[in-house]
Amino acid sequence: MSPSSPAARRWRLGLVCSLSSLLLPAEGSAQTSPPTTLDPIEVAPSTSAEPKPAARSRNSATSSRPRARPATAAATAGAPRPAASGASGSASPTLNATIQGGTGSRLNLTPLQTPASVEIITAQTIAERGQHNVLDAVTQNAAGFIATPAPGNGGLSFSTRGFAGSNSVMTLYDGTRFYIGSGTLTFPYDTWSTQRVEVLRGPASVLYGEGAIGGVINVVPKKPQGTPYNEAEVSLDSNMTRRLSVDSTGPINPNVSYRINATGNMSDGWVDRDKTSNAVVSAAVRVQASDNLAFTLSEDYGDRSPSRYFGTPLINGSIQDALRFKNYNALDSAIRYQDSWTQFKTEWGVADGIKINNTLYYLTSERHWRDIENYTFNPKTQLIDRSSYIEIFHDQKQLGNRMDATFSGHVFGLANQFVAGFDVNRIDFTHTNNSPYGGASTVNPYVFDPGSFFATTTATTPGFNAIVNQYALFAEDRLSLTDQLSLVTGVRYDRPEVDRTDYKTPANSFETTLSGTSWRTGLVYEPIKDLAFYGQYAVGVDPVSNLISLSTSQKTFQLATGKQTEIGVKQSFWGSRGEWTLAAYEIVKTGLTIPDPSNPTAGLALQIGQQSSRGVEGTIGLALNDGWRVDANLALLRARYDNNSQVVGGKVVSYNGNVPVNVPQQVSNVWLTWDFAPNWSVYGGVQIVGAMYSDLANTQLRPGYNVVNGGIRWKPDDRTTVAFRVYNLFDKVYAVTSNGTGQWLLGMPRTAELSVNVKF
């Protein structure tokens, strides 16, 4: 039976329809599941990456001058044979060092051309490993990242290179950032619509502004294509997570193409009383107005009711098995996130070597929490004391425009690329809450009535509003000094103006203006094709708190500064079937706030604190003979507070020399895939995370953990994939984060999943 025959299509659609009955909710009031998505390999080539450029002259240049010499024999000797046709894609290592990306540079350089640590994680890799959410796609593939999610931060928080949280590790969607309100980001979370995830480690303020000293994660969505392509997937797991996803793209007419994809799921969750749900819809239309002019209008919308599990209290310093699946939140607790991202992009090839890009965007987020969030075991009563009855609403709007112009040509006979532009936006953020977050209750640890949130609480009223107008200018240049040596430099100037209105204490209202200049310079030396040595010095800036949530006590502080020195080597070999990188770095961040030692109880602070980290990171990806593929990475670091103190019991206590919170000193991933028979493959991976501290004093140590995931895939025909996966294969009990008071947010237990994906 031909895969494209009508009978084959009916068989595939019938299989989807029969399994889709499993997705019907058992109860109409279900909420979200832990984000779970797949992004299978696309069979249709992209034909709409950018407008067609005007004809180039022979002397024009877009990168370095072409090499005259061929690749050396050493670069190709011993290369493995190409993978057999019909393999599941094992011939594509994870690092993708020769693929152009826009995250490490605005010049669309490849990772090999960029003097920084850059990785590109493709949709193929994400789909093969069953990584349904952004957290897993990043932390299980990229070197040196761990997740620090919690219901209170929206579940999108990371730690890398010694710096943790949304203040220091930025998340983008299609190159656009949503400014962080009260430490919270809630989109993007699902990877079904993702074409790739690009990761940049180290200060990135020169590209994206304040708040990226640790690194940047850019989730790039699927784009409209000129070739028809359709895909659907259904899945069911042992937590009763029922999931349905669809994707469609193709031409409307010769000059207009579209893309629309949607995914939704419902789940019973893996802790008590924790039904979840989410729905995501992404749509885009691209108009190729002429050979050198294109417009793309896109809309992404997410409606999510995520887990209301805030963690498990420790008893005698450890997790008790009997409490592992207990949920101590109120019966009527609620969390909901509604995010909308509207973008209009213009790509214009003005002339030979000149291109202009413009992105106009409007982003909104409506968030609501109603929870009991703190649980503490009381050894005297042998009960759980619950506190922090918190209700919060976020209403956030962001309107902005980003424009840049790229010039490719020669300077004094040397090939040169230069880009310059501006970024302006206005953020309107309103925080409504029931501060001072009182309320208290006591329950039996094992059998209890969860009670009502409204049993003991204060009224919810507007707290504050912040209007932030942000202006930025940026420029970047790549000069090819020789065929082998290039100089890459960049600079950015940011000037945010904050106008805060405090509704509960009007005297705490204020206006302030901040400014910061970020820059980097680096050299890339490529002695032979696809082998690059590089060095970089970068300066970035972070706010002392989330910019749009600055408090009155922080209004006089300037942006903290981080300086990084990095050296490294990268290589792609065996026709891009083998890649490896090695990098060493040191980051020093100054301008942190510490209490004034001369008057510790007055609430005054000095901006003289310092934090530093130094480390080594290595990655390797190999597509070997006989269907074997190996991907591995390792990050080792030494992170410390150099000058940090806090007021404890009315006295200033020094934490100098301590390890920062949520920063493990070792992180590693190892993946092995084997296409053991025609149309069959099996894979397994282990995520290794070292121990870390939950408090500044380094008295609360969270153990490290090793989590093993694996699965098997079968392709009955070229367009159908059946996969069986097991997450946390050995049912490891581990904590992904902590609230710092003896309450750990545990990772998902062993979970089995069956999915069917069809392309038609």
Side-chain angles (χ1 to χ4, degrees), residues 80 86 95 118 127 237 247 271 279 287 324 329 378 404 411 414 442 524-525 533 563 571 623 630 647 683 730:
L95 312 180
V118 181
D237 73 17
D247 181 22
V271 296
V287 178
R324 183 181 181 188
N329 211 335
N378 188 327
D404 61 67
V411 175
L414 302 176
T442 301
V524 179
Y525 176 56
F533 297 87
K563 300 177 180 179
Q571 185 179 20
V630 179
V647 176
Y683 74 93
F730 298 106

Side-chain angles (χ1 to χ4, degrees), residues 17-25 235-236 240-243:
C17 292
S18 63
L19 283 174
S20 65
S21 63
L22 297 173
L23 302 173
L24 297 176
S235 66
L236 176 70
M240 288 305 297
T241 304
R242 294 93 68 196
R243 181 182 182 85

